[in-house]
Amino acid sequence: MTDKSDRIARRSVDKFALRRAELADSALETLSELGYARTSLREIAQKSNFSHGVLHYYFTDKVELLTYAIRRNEEVWVTRCQEDVASARSASDLKHGFGAAMAGTLRADAIMHRLWYDLRNQSLYEDAFRSDVLVIDERREATIWCVVERYANLAGGSPLVTRPVAYATFDGLFYQALLRHLAGEENAGSALEESVNLMLEHLVAR
């Protein structure tokens, strides 16, 4: 392949990837509003600027579309946590930064998180989702563990729990806060931030 044809091929791949991202972002509002079970590609097309045929060209079915959209937005959440870990210069900095980040994403991205939990629940019944959910869940677990280990290091201590337990703890706190936030409780975010700060301290022995 010549340099010119190689550049053309790369541009085609880039355009395809950008188009998929655009379609996924457009579909998220409908998916998150109605949930997986009540949403079809045709319905997504009706509520967006794209035709049903275009959606089918870029995504085989709504399973592929949904998992792609979740993975894409997962990158944003993971990056935020990684930045908090990298920028923290003390245990206190990391604790408060992580708590604020969890509360912030609860308020700003509640719809996306609701869609993630919907997908995770659906994977208990549909094999098509399971492998993707396990991959995403593993990455979320690794991200949380990175925070716990870094906090322990900055605090001069060591984690008191295993990686799965740490993840289950913070995931549970977030899920409960999400329910309260969606129910209209104004203090759900601040309560989550306080709980995250407190729990991070309890999970580490100094």
Side-chain angles (χ1 to χ4, degrees):
M1 182 180 290
T2 65
D3 289 343
K4 181 178 180 180
S5 59
D6 188 42
R7 287 196 301 273
I8 293 173
R10 283 200 302 271
R11 281 200 299 270
S12 297
V13 171
D14 290 343
K15 287 180 179 179
F16 185 82
L18 287 172
R19 189 63 162 171
R20 276 168 63 88
E22 185 180 6
L23 288 168
D25 288 345
S26 176
L28 280 178
E29 184 175 349
T30 302
L31 280 165
S32 57
E33 176 188 349
L34 300 177
Y36 169 78
R38 293 189 295 162
T39 308
S40 66
L41 280 184
R42 189 171 301 280
E43 191 160 18
I44 292 171
Q46 290 174 350
K47 294 192 175 185
S48 70
N49 296 322
F50 306 102
S51 69
H52 184 238
V54 168
L55 285 174
H56 257 304
Y57 176 78
Y58 287 94
F59 297 98
T60 304
D61 51 28
K62 70 173 180 178
V63 172
E64 184 184 4
L65 173 58
L66 178 54
T67 53
Y68 175 86
I70 291 291
R71 280 175 176 269
R72 174 172 159 76
N73 282 270
E74 183 70 13
E75 291 289 339
V76 176
W77 182 82
V78 169
T79 298
R80 287 174 184 168
C81 288
Q82 291 173 339
E83 289 174 348
D84 287 337
V85 170
S87 62
R89 293 295 174 263
S90 69
S92 180
D93 283 347
L94 181 55
K95 178 180 68 175
H96 292 294
F98 182 51
M102 292 282 274
T105 192
L106 174 71
R107 298 184 184 103
D109 309 311
I111 290 178
M112 173 51 57
H113 292 298
R114 178 172 64 179
L115 189 56
W116 155 245
Y117 285 115
D118 185 21
L119 173 62
R120 196 165 72 175
N121 288 337
Q122 289 292 332
S123 72
L124 297 175
Y125 302 95
E126 298 196 34
D127 292 341
F129 284 138
R130 202 158 295 145
S131 61
D132 286 295
V133 164
L134 287 172
V135 169
I136 295 171
D137 218 40
E138 171 66 21
R139 187 164 190 194
R140 291 171 72 92
E141 181 181 298
T143 301
I144 292 296
W145 187 241
C146 181
V147 173
V148 173
E149 281 197 312
R150 177 61 174 160
Y151 178 79
N153 179 265
L154 290 170
S158 58
L160 288 170
V161 297
T162 63
R163 173 171 151 167
V165 171
Y167 175 53
T169 299
F170 286 109
D171 182 66
L173 287 173
F174 189 86
Y175 181 74
Q176 290 177 339
L178 180 62
L179 284 175
R180 292 195 293 270
H181 176 76
L182 293 173
E185 292 190 20
E186 295 182 358
N187 68 334
S190 57
L192 173 64
E193 185 171 353
E194 292 176 7
S195 297
V196 167
N197 290 343
L198 184 62
M199 190 53 62
L200 199 52
E201 293 179 358
H202 285 323
L203 294 183
V204 171
R206 304 195 190 192

